[in-house]
Amino acid sequence: MGWSGAKATSGNQTINPVSATSTYTLTCTGSGGSTTRSVTVNVTAAIGVSGAVDSSLRDRHQESANLVFAFAGSNTTTGTPAATAPVMQDAGACTFRYDLAGLAAGNYTVALTSDGGTTFKRNANVTVAGAGVVQNFAPARVLQVGPTRQLTHPSQVTGLRSGDVVEIDAGVYNGPAITWSTSNLTLRGVGGRAHMVAPASISNGKAIWVAAGTNIAVENMEFSGAAVPDLNGSGVRGDGQDLAICGSYFHDNQEGFLGGGGRLLIEYSEFARNGNCDDPSGCAHNIYVDNIARFTLRHSYSHHARVGHTVKSRAQENYILYNRIMDEADGTSSYTIDLPNGGLTYVIGNLLQQGPLTDNPTILTYGEEGLTNTNRNLYVVNNTFVNDRGSGAFVSLVTGVTATLQNNLFAGGGTVVSGGTVTQVTNRTTNTPNFVNAGAFDYRPTAGTPGINGGTAPGVGGTFDLTPLYQYVHPTNREPRPLNGVIDIGAYELTP
């Protein structure tokens, strides 16, 4: 158990986890003789209920409200639950699970909620008796599409109902654009990504897929080749409310994603080589978000936008968390992040780089087209900025903005910040960042990277905890950010 040898006469000691019943004996010897005491730690196997939860059963935009309760007795969802567990997302995936541990033997009703317990979407009776029980929560109906299925193309799906899951076998699908109007749909590639290639003429004039319903999810899909006369042909157009995109790849379209309504979540996804500035009235981008209530981009990789911006959002609130957003060596994007109308914005734990061929010398800009959003607060915390252009600005603000820049590493030439009212705390600038492999855009620190143990506790911004919980793993993944004493400056914590 890692507990032997001589011990100090006071204090405590941490040992390895105890997985079996163990006895510990301590003998104290002195001038008056010796005495021995023993203690036995009994370890019993933890039993409980665990299982998978289909993503279609969750509220994708209110994560803390997705819970599983265990109620003592069968066919009951009243009273105080015997146990409660959150529905947790698997890293790098669009899958979810729960684990109700430590239940005594007996009969239980296991109930799934997506609104914190006001109502229950699913429940099941289980018996716990000496071993763990698996109870999965599946969707009500799954429709399957694929080359060997009765339905060979997603456009053939009809009669959809709220709550349906459409599973599309991995493969390449050429053919007509689709408008999805039914609400509460999950559109999912299975066995790998299902690749939707744009037809020569997109009949809806907008996108390969138009998400017109409310609460639609797009998972494990690929979209390419979208082009329409107004030069905004998108992989997906968000015309409805509360869209979620997970594990998907948008490339070589006039615009990667455009639109959004209500709340928009994009996670574990890649955007590459979308965009253009061929229309004199405006450009298209890798990601272009309308003036919606909330936009969250996390654990994603947006790169090589064609002249347009890598990420552009007009949302009232923006949560840009733990992403890799870059030009790399040969990208020609304009701004790396463009927030033209302000809004309450959190930029935390990202890798932000502009390359030598960038079309614009600023990496992050805020308020350039007018501060029309109500909130004008910007928090930029524990990011790694790299300017391979060698000049310009890392952060550009306009008058009327209140910004906090804390624990950021700025590598390369250029002005750190211009404009606005700015509080700067424990940031570092350097021309010698000593990353693991800067030439390959691997910006993880080494012992020689400036800012190791040089940060300060970020605290909160408004009601949001600014402490970085994760760090980006390439491609399109995450890992918990280690706790190694004083927080490091930048998007990564050095791992000894």
Side-chain angles (χ1 to χ4, degrees):
M1 292 300 136
W3 198 75
S4 61
K7 303 296 176 186
T9 57
S10 64
N12 57 65
Q13 180 182 349
T14 301
I15 64 171
N16 295 326
V18 179
S19 58
T21 298
S22 304
T23 298
Y24 297 89
T25 300
L26 182 65
T27 299
C28 295
T29 302
S31 58
S34 64
T35 184
T36 298
R37 296 288 187 273
S38 296
V39 62
T40 298
V41 178
N42 293 306
V43 177
T44 57
I47 58 175
V49 183
S50 61
V53 175
D54 191 85
S55 65
S56 64
L57 302 175
R58 298 177 64 258
D59 183 336
R60 301 173 178 91
H61 306 280
Q62 191 64 41
E63 293 176 329
S64 62
N66 298 289
L67 303 167
V68 177
F69 294 160
F71 295 93
S74 300
N75 301 313
T76 179
T77 55
T78 60
T80 302
T84 305
V87 178
M88 303 296 292
Q89 186 169 13
D90 297 320
C94 312
T95 53
F96 301 82
R97 63 191 65 253
Y98 71 96
D99 186 3
L100 288 162
L103 292 174
N107 296 320
Y108 296 90
T109 303
V110 178
L112 170 68
T113 179
S114 63
D115 58 14
T118 303
T119 62
F120 295 99
K121 285 193 168 182
R122 297 282 190 278
N123 60 73
N125 294 328
V126 300
T127 299
V128 174
V133 177
V134 175
Q135 175 61 55
N136 298 324
F137 291 102
R141 190 170 75 143
V142 176
L143 295 88
Q144 295 180 311
V145 177
T148 63
R149 311 284 187 185
Q150 183 176 357
L151 303 175
T152 58
H153 192 277
S155 62
Q156 298 168 355
V157 176
T158 59
L160 286 167
R161 301 193 296 258
S162 175
D164 279 349
V165 174
V166 180
E167 292 189 341
I168 307 166
D169 291 341
V172 177
Y173 295 83
N174 297 279
I178 305 170
T179 297
W180 302 97
S181 300
T182 304
S183 294
N184 303 311
L185 288 182
T186 299
L187 309 167
R188 176 185 299 153
V190 293
R193 287 191 179 125
H195 183 183
M196 308 302 299
V197 178
S201 177
I202 293 178
S203 58
N204 58 43
K206 296 180 178 180
I208 301 172
W209 280 8
V210 175
T214 296
N215 192 35
I216 289 177
V218 176
E219 299 175 355
N220 303 324
M221 298 297 301
E222 182 175 348
F223 301 90
S224 67
V228 297
D230 71 1
L231 304 177
N232 281 316
S234 307
V236 171
R237 174 76 72 91
D239 279 359
Q241 301 285 308
D242 295 347
L243 175 65
I245 297 172
C246 180
S248 296
Y249 181 28
F250 297 72
H251 62 95
D252 302 289
N253 304 285
Q254 288 176 328
E255 191 122 44
F257 171 85
L258 173 62
R263 301 166 296 178
L264 170 65
L265 169 64
I266 299 176
E267 60 182 356
Y268 301 116
S269 294
E270 181 177 356
F271 295 79
R273 301 181 302 279
N274 307 286
N276 69 87
C277 283
D278 298 333
D279 184 348
S281 65
C283 297
H285 314 285
N286 258 1
I287 301 171
Y288 189 2
V289 179
D290 285 344
N291 182 232
I292 64 175
R294 187 176 77 205
F295 169 48
T296 300
L297 176 68
R298 63 191 183 195
H299 319 307
S300 293
Y301 178 33
S302 184
H303 61 106
H304 290 90
R306 290 175 170 162
V307 185
H309 306 315
T310 322
V311 176
K312 180 171 184 173
S313 173
R314 299 184 185 273
Q316 296 287 333
E317 295 183 9
N318 299 282
Y319 298 81
I320 301 175
L321 312 173
Y322 320 115
N323 303 286
R324 172 170 164 157
I325 306 174
M326 295 188 181
D327 280 332
E328 298 177 5
D330 55 354
T332 59
S333 75
S334 185
Y335 298 132
T336 305
I337 299 176
D338 181 23
L339 306 163
N341 303 128
L344 177 61
T345 298
Y346 302 94
V347 180
I348 301 174
N350 300 280
L351 307 171
L352 305 174
Q353 178 257 3
Q354 69 174 1
L357 304 180
T358 179
D359 196 58
N360 196 302
T362 299
I363 295 179
L364 188 160
T365 181
Y366 182 102
E368 186 182 55
E369 297 179 29
L371 295 171
T372 55
N373 288 338
T374 303
N375 195 298
R376 301 171 179 182
N377 290 285
L378 170 67
Y379 299 90
V380 182
V381 179
N382 276 103
N383 301 280
T384 296
F385 288 79
V386 177
N387 184 2
D388 287 326
R389 186 179 189 271
S391 62
F394 290 96
V395 180
S396 177
L397 313 172
V398 298
T399 300
V401 176
T402 301
T404 297
L405 275 62
Q406 184 171 358
N407 294 349
N408 298 288
L409 181 61
F410 298 100
T415 302
V416 168
V417 60
S418 63
T421 300
V422 183
T423 300
Q424 292 199 60
V425 182
T426 53
N427 300 295
R428 289 290 299 270
T429 60
T430 182
N431 287 314
T432 53
N434 297 316
F435 296 134
V436 167
N437 189 345
F441 312 101
D442 183 348
Y443 297 157
R444 290 175 297 165
T446 65
T449 299
I452 303 301
N453 294 327
T456 51
V460 297
T463 61
F464 190 75
D465 188 351
L466 301 175
T467 305
L469 302 177
Y470 298 102
Q471 50 196 28
Y472 177 84
V473 174
H474 196 61
T476 63
N477 208 336
R478 64 169 165 87
E479 65 184 8
R481 181 164 177 147
L483 299 175
N484 296 326
V486 178
I487 191 170
D488 293 347
I489 291 173
Y492 289 105
E493 195 76 17
L494 177 66
T495 302

